[in-house]
């Protein structure tokens, strides 16, 4: 299992792992449904603010194949990322160390269920953060 998620697999709009990545003429990549919706509202790139139309997007097949393979080979990492509430691969990768330390943003009165392959864990909380530490099975 690979515990780190490549940043290029994450949509800069949704913060989730892409399933249908498209690239614009400037080389920026997004999840198709999110960039299409953003362009309907603004007509410009959310990254550079350059004019952009949905007709200028093309499927990034190589990235899609790489993401599909990663998801297939690392289902636990993908599930952990999606369940964590973290919307940045950089933040996730920074906090998810090989010894399975993970910091999860927590909203007040929100229950977070953590499904991992940890056989033991402990956690420390403050008002905005849950820190989970455990050992792998």
């Amino acid at each position: 299992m690979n515990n780190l998620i490549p940043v290029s697999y994450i949509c800069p709009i949704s913060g989730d792992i892409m399933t249908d990545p498209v690239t614009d003429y400037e080389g920026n990549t997004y999840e198709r449904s999110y960039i299409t919706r953003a362009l309907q509202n603004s007509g410009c790139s959310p990254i550079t603010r350059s004019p952009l139309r949905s007709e200028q997007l093309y499927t990034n097949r190589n990235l899609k194949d790489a993401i599909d393979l990663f998801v297939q080979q690392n289902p636990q990492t993908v599930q952990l990322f999606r369940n964590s509430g973290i919307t940045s691969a950089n933040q996730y990768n920074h906090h998810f160390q090989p010894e399975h330390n993970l910091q999860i943003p927590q909203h007040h009165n929100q229950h977070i269920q953590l499904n991992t392959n940890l056989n033991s864990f402990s956690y420390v909380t403050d008002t905005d953060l849950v820190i989970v530490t455990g050992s792998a099975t």
Side-chain angles (χ1 to χ4, degrees), residues 53-79:
R53 298 184 325 270
S54 59
E55 298 82 29
Q56 295 173 299
L57 302 171
Y58 61 91
T59 300
N60 189 329
R61 288 185 184 94
N62 289 336
L63 183 58
K64 179 172 179 23
D65 291 346
I67 292 170
D68 288 347
L69 181 62
F70 178 85
V71 168
Q72 179 184 6
Q73 292 178 343
N74 301 283
Q76 291 174 334
T77 298
V78 171
Q79 181 180 5

Side-chain angles (χ1 to χ4, degrees), residues 15-96:
D16 197 6
I17 298 169
M18 293 181 278
T19 58
D20 187 11
V22 294
T23 303
D24 67 19
Y25 66 91
E26 295 178 303
N28 300 305
T29 303
Y30 312 91
E31 175 65 30
R32 183 183 304 275
S33 62
Y34 282 87
I35 187 62
T36 300
R37 195 171 323 133
L39 293 177
Q40 289 172 348
N41 293 329
S42 71
C44 63
S45 166
I47 294 178
T48 65
R49 295 304 198 206
S50 299
L52 183 61
R53 298 184 325 270
S54 59
E55 298 82 29
Q56 295 173 299
L57 302 171
Y58 61 91
T59 300
N60 189 329
R61 288 185 184 94
N62 289 336
L63 183 58
K64 179 172 179 23
D65 291 346
I67 292 170
D68 288 347
L69 181 62
F70 178 85
V71 168
Q72 179 184 6
Q73 292 178 343
N74 301 283
Q76 291 174 334
T77 298
V78 171
Q79 181 180 5
L80 183 61
F81 173 76
R82 288 185 171 150
N83 289 344
S84 72
I86 295 173
T87 57
S88 162
N90 283 332
Q91 183 183 15
Y92 173 86
N93 291 339
H94 173 74
H95 293 296
F96 191 21

